[in-house]
């Protein structure tokens, strides 16, 4: 019977892994392998591809400094090294050590899908150890199809370290569960097993930290769990020595792996401090527990002592390692960077649709599973439940604060859903047995219900998730390939792109005289660094975003010239997503990235455009966006919309009469009282300047048609425009700066 179960489990896991791989590869294939190239998705994937290009020439070393980022200073790569070593090693192995550029990109595109398809295996292991075989299988099947950021970050064409984080963190938890599993009374190998799995957990934790600069997060979670488990074991009269021998070596091994990389990547110091705190905590708690047990002191005294030690520890961290607490990602970011927005709220409004995109029916089932787990399992003291609860609780809080952590919490969500479905199924089977119904019908009914309620909604959402284009469009790729071929090489030779650079000394990086930077919005920084192989000012880490935003939103050519001179800019790249564009024919809604640019620049959006309302006889309001002269004179509009050319308005200048009204909640809004269209700007301005009974503003109703005259931009020449048909805005334009 045991062999039969093992065989059926193996077959089920093979099918789950194969299904997970198919979902991640098949539907994204046409978006990744298109137009004769490998179009990586997102932004960060392109920088990992850039590091792969570099590391393949120095394998396994990763460059410590990248002069293509944050020009004119340059910076170290903003990522930990291990993922890029593994990615490059995988590509070299599959290409027999001599990969052509396109071959390397093809294998790199498959790497995240392979890692993502393996994640169901440790998820099954955790579910089986803590909740049973069936719960493990259901959890593995669930995590294979969960949509949202977890699927997106592990699909074809997204070689990014986040999928490796998910795999390694899950393996670490699995190893710790094995290490802390109760000993078999009939065996004397418990100590050896604990040490073996503790060392494996430490190795996995070390690899995890070397894969993600923010890996101190997991160390904090494990330290919190270990502290709670020490207290629980001591209060229940269990020896804490097994827990100490399971956690202490794990922290020590991870620390030994991280220390040799001192200062080689961002936030290394925080990782080191977190490991030191974790190791000190388990040693101290283990020692205190042994001392109190030896002297037969009361549980109350132990609780007081642990609380006092906790307060002392927190105070010490505040003083000696403030970054450990100060860098906790519990605050939500602004709406301009979507991944750091809260899961349930966007622009201050409750939005359950975003949570549905991540977990579908899980938004109802996951809280229920957590409640059932807390109420029923903690009383049974089933081994490993506390670790799963602490791990899941932390990840849930982080995901609610910043939705990007959904790629972590998806693993916890799958475990919770697997547990809940297993509990429901077991109760269903017992009920069917009590009714005397056939045992073979009940399992089929249970699996069908699981497929309909859990798998099907997630699978549908997942397929939709993998069929969307998130990488650079064809016009962008063509523009950057043109830039690589047709613009001057910014370094003394083209080999600088694959050269390994040490961290420069106090004098900064010695750029050659011919060097220059490319100014573009931060979304596109890694695309430019990898495809065009040109240094960029702003990055998807949002580094340099403020200065670039100030350039794009200024309506003063002198200020713009000063920014370009300060940054030593050689080229400016713009696209049709930067300026405003009407989303509706009546002008009531606008799109584009200009609002984000204004916020990053610290400028009021109302300086560029404002909503006005037309109220009909029934009191119904319709919105009309009015664009002010400052918008049309901004560098974004002048470069993206008008191509740097002269603009003379004809019939697009309006005088808008308005009055202010107040809503029931006390907020004010502007109501249009009069709209006058003028043939020329001078006529409209003269009318607005003349005395009137009411207030008037001069503006335009179409962001593509200026209401004010615009002079040609001195010092700019459009050297490339993609999709310029003379009637619509080019998809991508490149301007040289003289």
């Amino acid at each position: 019977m045991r062999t039969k179960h093992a065989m059926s489990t193996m077959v089920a896991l093979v099918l789950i892994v194969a299904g997970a791989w198919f979902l991640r590869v098949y539907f994204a294939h046409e978006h990744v392998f298109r137009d004769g190239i490998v179009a990586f998705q997102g932004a960060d994937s392109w920088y990992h591809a850039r590091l792969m290009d570099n590391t393949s020439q120095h394998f396994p070393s990763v460059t410590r400094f990248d002069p293509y980022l944050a020009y004119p200073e340059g910076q170290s790569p903003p990522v930990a090294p291990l993922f890029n070593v593994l990615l490059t090693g995988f590509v070299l192995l599959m290409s027999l050590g001599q990969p052509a550029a396109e071959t390397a990109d093809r294998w790199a595109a498959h790497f995240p899908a392979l890692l993502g398809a393996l994640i169901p295996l440790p998820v099954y292991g955790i579910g089986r150890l803590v909740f049973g075989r069936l719960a493990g299988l259901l959890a593995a099947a669930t995590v294979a199809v969960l949509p949202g950021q977890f699927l997106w970050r592990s699909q074809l064409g997204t070689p990014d370290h986040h999928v490796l984080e998910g795999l390694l963190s899950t393996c670490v938890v699995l190893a710790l569960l094995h290490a802390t599993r109760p000993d078999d009374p009939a065996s004397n190998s418990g100590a050896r097993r604990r040490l073996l799995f503790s060392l494996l957990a430490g190795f996995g934790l070390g690899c995890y930290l070397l894969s993600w600069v923010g890996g101190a997060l997991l160390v904090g979670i494990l330290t919190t769990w270990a502290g709670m488990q020490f207290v629980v074991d001591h209060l229940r009269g269990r020896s804490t020595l097994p827990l100490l021998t399971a956690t202490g070596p794990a922290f020590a091994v991870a620390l030994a792996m991280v220390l040799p990389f001192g200062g080689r990547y961002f936030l290394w110091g925080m990782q080191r401090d977190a490991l030191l705190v974790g190791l000190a905590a388990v040693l101290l708690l283990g020692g205190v527990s042994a001392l109190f047990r030896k002297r037969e002191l009361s549980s109350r005294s132990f609780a007081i002592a642990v609380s006092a030690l906790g307060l002392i520890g927190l105070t010490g961290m505040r003083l000696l390692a403030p970054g450990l607490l100060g860098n906790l990602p519990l605050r939500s970011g602004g709406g301009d960077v979507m991944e750091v927005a809260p899961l349930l709220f966007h622009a201050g409004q409750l939005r359950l649709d975003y949570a549905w995109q991540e977990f579908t029916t899980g938004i109802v089932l996951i809280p229920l599973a957590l409640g059932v787990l807390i109420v029923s399992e903690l009383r049974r003291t089933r081994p490993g439940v506390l670790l799963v609860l602490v791990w899941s609780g932390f990840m849930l809080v982080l995901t609610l604060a910043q939705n990007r952590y959904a790629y972590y919490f998806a693993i916890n969500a799958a475990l919770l859903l697997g547990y809940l479905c297993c509990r429901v199924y077991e109760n269903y089977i017992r009920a069917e047995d009590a009714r005397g119904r056939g045992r073979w019908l009940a399992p089929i009914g249970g699996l069908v219900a699981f497929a309909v309620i859990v798998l099907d909604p997630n699978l549908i959402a997942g397929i939709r998730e993998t069929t969307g284009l998130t990488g650079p469009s064809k016009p962008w790729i063509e523009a950057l390939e043109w830039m690589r071929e047709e613009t001057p090489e910014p370094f003394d030779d083209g080999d600088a792109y694959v050269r390994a650079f040490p961290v420069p000394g106090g004098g900064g990086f010695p750029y050659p005289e011919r060097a220059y930077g490319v100014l573009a919005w931060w979304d596109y920084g890694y695309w430019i660094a990898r495809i065009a192989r040109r240094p960029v000012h702003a990055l998807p880490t949002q580094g340099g975003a403020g200065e670039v935003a100030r350039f794009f939103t200024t309506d003063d050519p002198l200020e713009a010239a000063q920014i370009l001179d300060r940054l030593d800019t050689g080229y400016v790249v713009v696209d049709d997503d930067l300026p405003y564009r009407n989303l509706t024919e009546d002008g009531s809604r606008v799109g584009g990235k200009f609002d984000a640019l204004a916020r990053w620049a610290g400028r009021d959006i109302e300086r560029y455009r404002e909503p006005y309302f037309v109220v009909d006889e029934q009191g119904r309001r319709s919105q009309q966006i009015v664009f002010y002269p400052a918008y049309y004179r901004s560098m974004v509009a002048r470069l993206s919309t008008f191509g740097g050319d002269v603009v003379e308005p004809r019939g697009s200048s309006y005088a808008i009469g308005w009055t202010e009204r107040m809503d029931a909640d006390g907020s004010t809004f502007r109501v249009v009282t009069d709209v006058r269209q003028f043939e020329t700007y001078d006529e409209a301005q003269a009318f607005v300047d003349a005395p009137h009974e009411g207030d008037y503003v001069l503006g335009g109703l179409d962001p593509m048609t200026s209401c004010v005259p615009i002079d040609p931009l001195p010092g700019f020449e459009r050297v490339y425009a993609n999709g310029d048909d003379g009637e619509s805005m080019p998809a991508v334009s490149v301007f040289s700066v003289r």
Side-chain angles (χ1 to χ4, degrees):
M1 189 69 173
R2 203 170 188 180
T3 304
K4 182 180 178 182
H5 275 165
M7 183 60 68
S8 62
T9 299
M10 185 177 300
V11 170
L13 287 175
V14 169
L15 292 175
I16 289 171
V17 169
W21 178 83
F22 179 82
L23 176 62
R24 283 157 174 77
V25 170
Y26 179 78
F27 298 101
H29 193 275
E30 64 177 303
H31 295 297
V32 177
F33 303 119
R34 57 184 170 86
D35 303 320
I37 65 163
V38 178
F40 296 113
Q41 300 298 285
D44 294 353
S45 299
W46 288 94
Y47 188 64
H48 285 288
R50 183 265 183 280
L51 286 179
M52 176 189 70
D53 295 339
N54 189 281
T55 305
S56 63
Q57 304 300 313
H58 316 282
F59 188 79
S61 297
V62 179
T63 185
R64 296 186 62 188
F65 188 81
D66 194 343
Y68 286 79
L69 303 186
Y71 183 85
E73 286 83 20
Q75 70 170 55
S76 295
V79 293
L82 183 60
F83 176 81
N84 298 293
V85 172
L86 294 178
L87 173 66
T88 307
F90 173 76
V91 169
L92 291 174
L93 176 65
M94 302 307 293
S95 306
L96 302 178
Q98 296 293 328
E102 185 178 348
T103 303
D105 284 358
R106 282 186 169 271
W107 285 118
H110 279 282
F111 191 57
L114 175 63
L115 296 180
L118 293 176
I119 289 178
L121 297 179
V123 168
Y124 164 75
I126 294 173
R128 183 183 66 83
L129 275 178
V130 181
F131 304 125
R133 172 179 165 274
L134 178 60
L137 286 173
L138 296 178
T142 302
V143 82
V145 300
L146 274 179
Q149 298 203 42
F150 174 74
L151 177 59
W152 182 82
R153 294 174 190 271
S154 61
Q155 73 177 27
L156 183 76
T158 56
D160 194 357
H161 55 274
H162 294 308
V163 62
L164 183 60
E165 295 168 39
L167 178 61
L168 289 174
S169 62
T170 310
C171 289
V172 169
V173 173
L174 176 60
L176 283 174
L177 286 170
H178 275 288
T180 55
R181 200 177 62 203
D183 295 338
D184 184 353
S187 173
N188 59 0
S189 61
R192 290 198 302 272
R193 172 182 56 80
R194 279 195 300 275
L195 180 60
L196 172 63
F197 281 105
S198 178
L199 295 176
L200 287 174
F203 177 75
L205 182 58
C207 290
Y208 170 82
L209 293 169
L210 293 173
S211 300
W212 184 41
V213 296
L217 172 65
L218 181 60
V219 180
I221 293 172
L222 296 178
T223 302
T224 302
W225 157 73
M228 295 174 66
Q229 194 69 61
F230 269 110
V231 173
V232 170
D233 287 352
H234 183 91
L235 295 180
R236 289 181 173 171
R238 295 194 293 255
S239 172
T240 57
L241 181 60
L243 180 61
L244 176 61
T245 56
T247 54
F251 284 130
V253 168
L255 183 63
M257 292 176 64
V258 167
L259 283 178
F261 291 85
R264 293 178 67 94
Y265 57 88
F266 181 56
L267 294 183
W268 171 87
M270 192 167 72
Q271 293 185 353
R272 175 205 59 201
D273 294 343
L275 287 168
L276 288 172
V277 169
L279 183 58
V282 297
L283 291 176
L284 185 61
L285 287 171
V288 170
S289 175
L291 177 65
F292 274 60
R293 187 177 299 278
K294 181 179 180 180
R295 297 190 177 184
E296 299 182 349
L297 297 175
S298 67
S299 298
R300 181 181 178 184
S301 300
F302 178 77
I304 294 173
V306 169
S307 300
L309 289 173
L311 289 174
I312 293 172
L314 288 174
T315 303
M317 281 193 289
R318 279 282 188 185
L319 296 175
L320 301 177
L324 284 180
L325 298 177
N327 283 299
L328 283 175
L330 296 177
R331 295 183 195 168
S332 302
D336 301 324
V337 185
M338 288 299 297
E339 66 176 19
V340 299
L343 179 67
L344 300 178
F345 292 89
H346 287 258
Q349 295 182 339
L350 179 66
R351 294 286 301 272
L352 294 180
D353 53 326
Y354 288 98
W356 179 268
Q357 292 172 12
E358 297 289 344
F359 305 109
T360 67
T361 54
I363 62 176
V364 175
L365 298 177
I366 291 169
L368 179 61
L370 267 174
V372 173
L373 182 61
I374 292 171
V375 171
S376 62
E377 297 296 336
L378 281 182
R379 290 181 300 179
R380 298 166 61 183
T381 65
R382 193 187 298 200
V385 169
L386 184 60
L387 174 52
V388 171
L389 270 176
V390 172
W391 179 34
S392 300
F394 263 94
M395 290 307 172
L396 175 59
V397 171
L398 291 174
T399 302
L400 291 173
Q402 296 185 9
N403 70 86
R404 61 177 169 176
Y405 287 101
Y407 75 88
Y408 267 115
F409 184 64
I411 295 168
N412 307 98
L415 287 166
L416 293 169
L417 290 171
Y419 162 74
L420 178 66
C421 292
C422 182
R423 287 293 304 271
V424 172
Y425 176 77
E426 289 171 349
N427 290 333
Y428 172 65
I429 291 292
R430 282 195 291 268
E432 292 297 291
D433 283 347
R435 295 187 182 99
R437 297 179 181 175
R439 289 295 301 272
W440 64 275
L441 283 175
I444 294 176
L447 290 177
V448 168
F450 172 71
V452 171
I453 297 173
V454 177
L455 293 187
D456 189 51
N458 286 301
L459 185 59
I460 292 173
I463 292 173
R464 187 166 56 246
E465 184 80 23
T466 58
T467 54
L469 175 65
T470 60
S473 63
K474 183 179 180 180
W476 259 107
I477 292 173
E478 291 175 347
L480 297 181
E481 288 177 339
W482 175 90
M483 177 172 277
R484 180 179 172 184
E485 297 296 329
E486 302 297 333
T487 59
E489 168 60 45
F491 293 90
D492 291 333
D493 59 77
D495 290 339
Y497 178 76
V498 294
R499 198 174 299 152
F501 292 98
V503 177
F509 184 81
Y511 284 98
E513 285 293 326
R514 62 187 297 167
Y516 59 84
V518 176
L519 189 146
W521 189 225
W522 62 260
D523 291 348
Y524 316 129
Y526 291 157
W527 299 355
I528 296 169
R530 207 278 174 147
I531 302 174
R533 298 191 177 186
R534 297 294 181 260
V536 293
H537 303 308
L539 306 173
T541 59
Q542 289 83 57
E547 188 81 329
V548 169
R550 282 186 286 275
F551 167 80
F552 277 134
T553 55
T554 185
D555 57 350
D556 180 0
L558 178 59
E559 181 186 6
Q562 291 171 341
I563 293 173
L564 295 178
D565 184 63
R566 191 159 56 243
L567 295 176
D568 190 24
T569 300
Y571 292 87
V572 176
V573 184
V574 294
D575 71 351
D576 55 3
D577 273 343
L578 292 180
Y580 287 127
R581 61 183 184 277
N582 279 329
L583 299 179
T584 56
E585 291 185 5
D586 61 2
S588 61
R589 294 176 58 234
V590 294
K593 298 182 178 181
F594 192 88
D595 282 357
L597 296 173
R599 282 189 287 266
W600 275 101
R603 307 186 199 271
D604 292 333
I605 294 173
E606 290 75 16
R607 184 169 179 266
Y608 304 97
R609 58 101 173 175
E610 273 192 288
Y612 287 72
F613 294 89
V614 178
V615 181
D616 63 17
E617 295 178 355
Q618 285 75 37
R620 292 174 299 195
R621 290 186 290 184
S622 59
Q623 181 171 271
Q624 172 67 62
I625 303 296
V626 175
F627 301 91
Y628 295 142
Y631 169 69
Y632 297 109
R633 290 169 175 155
S634 70
M635 298 303 293
V636 158
R638 297 179 76 164
L639 294 174
S640 298
T641 308
F642 306 124
D645 295 333
V646 174
V647 175
E648 190 63 44
R650 283 290 179 266
S652 56
S653 302
Y654 293 84
I656 312 294
W658 63 277
T659 186
E660 194 169 77
R661 293 187 186 176
M662 182 176 293
D663 263 332
D665 61 0
S667 60
T668 59
F669 60 96
R670 293 189 173 189
V671 174
V672 175
T673 58
D674 186 22
V675 177
R676 297 183 183 234
Q677 183 179 11
F678 294 89
E679 181 64 19
T680 67
Y681 163 77
D682 290 335
E683 292 173 350
Q685 187 65 63
F687 178 84
V688 170
D689 291 339
H692 299 285
E693 290 186 5
D695 293 316
Y696 280 83
V697 295
L698 189 149
L701 303 182
D702 182 355
M704 300 288 293
T705 307
S706 178
C707 70
V708 293
I710 298 176
D711 296 328
L713 271 175
F716 290 86
E717 179 185 0
R718 186 159 68 179
V719 293
Y720 178 89
N722 190 311
D724 185 6
D725 57 8
E727 296 181 1
S728 60
M729 189 191 321
V732 182
S733 297
V734 180
F735 292 83
S736 66
V737 179
R738 299 188 298 273

